[in-house]
Amino acid sequence: MKLTWLGHACFLLEQEGYTILLDPYTGVEGYPPLRAAAHQVFCSHQHFDHNAADRVERLPARESPFAVREVPAFHDDQGGAVRGENTIRVFSAGGVSAAHLGDLGHQLSPEQIEAIGPVDLVMVPVGGTYTVDAAGAKRVCEALAPRWIVPMHYRHAPYGLPNVGGVEEFLALWRPEQVRYLEGPSLELPLQSGGVWVPKFA
């Protein structure tokens, strides 16, 4: 499975020539207009920076190699009373699984952890304000215990929402040898070693 970070919380997943786009955005400060094509599009919730499905070119329908599992969650720590619901999705293909946590705003319950199940990779929001913050994101990762972690939904000037934090606070919570910086936006599973992998926006 190949993952490509397109900025913010948006990823392109690829397996056997089939592509899935997650949380396409529009109107996020600094980022150019999103240009992407995919067979399927999934949005974790209906906020402008996650639901710009109309910006995505749809590829001809064909059978998907991905199995998709959905787990209901919330965009805040008050049961959705502030920002509504959020859907966690687990994508499995090629013998590996990757969970996209969307705009998760709370710690996971034992029931949610069980529903998510064992996952190889987690795409986790780390910028705070609208989601869990750096420390909260690390606790979520510890609860899910994936082999690989990819941070998302943070500001890296000039890109990103102006009132969310950067990735640095989250990375500082891990040992230096656990953090790896990619030279580009893509990574292909399985990776040679575990830990936090930071794609570069291209």
Side-chain angles (χ1 to χ4, degrees), residues 24-78:
Y25 56 81
T26 185
V28 180
E29 183 174 306
Y31 287 114
L34 183 65
R35 298 183 184 279
H39 293 93
Q40 276 185 292
V41 179
F42 290 95
C43 302
S44 62
H45 62 289
Q46 295 303 313
H47 287 165
F48 71 93
D49 54 330
H50 296 260
N51 75 342
D54 59 341
R55 302 295 181 98
V56 183
E57 178 188 348
R58 299 303 179 96
L59 299 176
R62 50 166 284 202
E63 184 177 358
S64 173
F66 289 90
V68 184
R69 187 166 66 256
E70 298 185 344
V71 179
F74 299 105
H75 200 325
D76 54 62
D77 59 1
Q78 299 180 45

Side-chain angles (χ1 to χ4, degrees), residues 3-170:
L3 288 80
T4 301
W5 183 50
L6 301 182
H8 201 47
C10 183
F11 288 82
L12 188 70
L13 308 185
E14 300 176 69
Q15 180 74 24
E16 301 169 16
Y18 191 92
T19 54
I20 290 177
L21 193 73
L22 308 179
D23 282 21
Y25 56 81
T26 185
V28 180
E29 183 174 306
Y31 287 114
L34 183 65
R35 298 183 184 279
H39 293 93
Q40 276 185 292
V41 179
F42 290 95
C43 302
S44 62
H45 62 289
Q46 295 303 313
H47 287 165
F48 71 93
D49 54 330
H50 296 260
N51 75 342
D54 59 341
R55 302 295 181 98
V56 183
E57 178 188 348
R58 299 303 179 96
L59 299 176
R62 50 166 284 202
E63 184 177 358
S64 173
F66 289 90
V68 184
R69 187 166 66 256
E70 298 185 344
V71 179
F74 299 105
H75 200 325
D76 54 62
D77 59 1
Q78 299 180 45
V82 179
R83 297 189 182 91
E85 297 180 347
N86 173 68
T87 300
I88 295 168
R89 289 187 175 91
V90 180
F91 300 87
S92 301
V96 293
S97 58
H100 186 277
L101 303 186
D103 266 7
L104 182 67
H106 59 90
Q107 293 301 302
L108 298 169
S109 69
E111 293 78 15
Q112 288 169 323
I113 293 170
E114 182 178 2
I116 293 168
V119 289
D120 296 301
L121 181 143
V122 166
M123 293 161 270
V124 59
V126 303
T129 305
Y130 304 111
T131 69
V132 289
D133 60 10
K138 188 170 192 292
R139 290 197 299 273
V140 168
C141 293
E142 290 170 343
L144 294 175
R147 296 165 65 187
W148 309 297
I149 297 160
V150 177
M152 64 177 185
H153 206 280
Y154 57 84
R155 179 165 175 78
H156 53 121
Y159 310 107
L161 300 174
N163 53 345
V164 302
V167 72
E168 296 79 13
E169 186 176 348
F170 176 72

